[in-house]
Amino acid sequence: MLFQILLFSLISFITGADSIGSAPKAELLFAGDAMQHQAQLDRAKQLAGGKGYDYSDCFSLIAPEIMKADYAVCNLEVPLGGGPDYTGYPCFSAPDSYAEALRDAGFDMMLTANNHCLDRRDKAARRTLTALDNIGVDHIGTYYDAAQRDSLVPFIKDINGFKVGFLNYTYGTNGIPPREGVEVALIDKAKIKEEMKKTRDSGAEILVVAMHWGIEYVLLENGVQRDLADFLVEEGADLIIGGHPHVIQPMKVVRNEKENKDVLVVYSLGNFISNMKTADTRGGALVRATIVRDPDGKARFSHADYDTFFAAKPAGGKSNYQVIPSWMPEKVPAAQKAHWELFERGAQRIFDNHNVNVPRRHK
């Protein structure tokens, strides 16, 4: 009998089950807007001592948490323009080493459909795709042209034996149109419905839809977001992950009665790293979503939780901008404790009052 128990435990470990009798599972992690303002660029350049841009310490504290996930996603809200000049707001362009640092922190996918994706026009948008390919990072949301979009959608990833489909859309591109045929996945219900069906028909068991939507700096979702979320739920999405407002917004588990399943809706994860100044923009949230396989073999979203983090500014010496997890308050520079506390209190108030069945993991 003991031998049988040990054998079953070994099989459970190999197949992804976390305990005797539990189902195989996978954990997906999502973080918000990865920004590069001018002060961040200047600091990274200074720390590199004239040899490129140094981001080596930006994500060292949060990286172990990201790496624990089976697949991690963030929103790359800067084109990788290729230099020699790199710029912050309003028209972003960052060096490839920034994306490499995000990859090294554990991110497997970077979303590129956002309002800044055409900041350096078609050339930089296309170069961003090539650069991400070259560093081995998955990406969705923008494409070399319409033909490439047709060939690359659906994007389906095998994650611990689960076939997970990903889609990414943005409300716009700050009024900058593509002039040389670059394809940006814009929010269009007919196109979204078509691509969701195409992804399902191609074998996706779980469908993740990342939306760049909402109103900047507003801590609650608006009617347009709710309408789109309802539409995505009705069309069969399993996870709906939002960004763009640069502040956190609520997370909710809702019910798709037609398909008899729960769906995770995250309205905004806020900033992952930035040089923004107001308290609500100084940090963000990460959300972990667990998918499981039922005894009948059907994959489904099971549950989710979240944590927050604070983007500390350089504190002198050789320090850089750094993402500090909420469970490491001792790492927050003394001069920035008040800003961290303001961000934490504001975020916690929103999540406590408006989250539905998405608890905090680290209390």
Side-chain angles (χ1 to χ4, degrees), residues 317-340:
K318 294 186 177 181
S319 66
N320 202 342
Y321 289 80
Q322 189 170 52
V323 178
I324 302 177
S326 59
W327 58 92
M328 295 184 183
E330 73 281 1
K331 298 293 186 179
V332 178
Q336 299 179 52
K337 288 280 188 182
H339 289 95
W340 169 68

Side-chain angles (χ1 to χ4, degrees), residues 23-24 205 260 292-300:
E205 302 176 280
N260 190 32
V292 300
R293 193 173 300 284
D294 288 338
D296 62 1
K298 182 176 177 57
R300 63 176 176 84

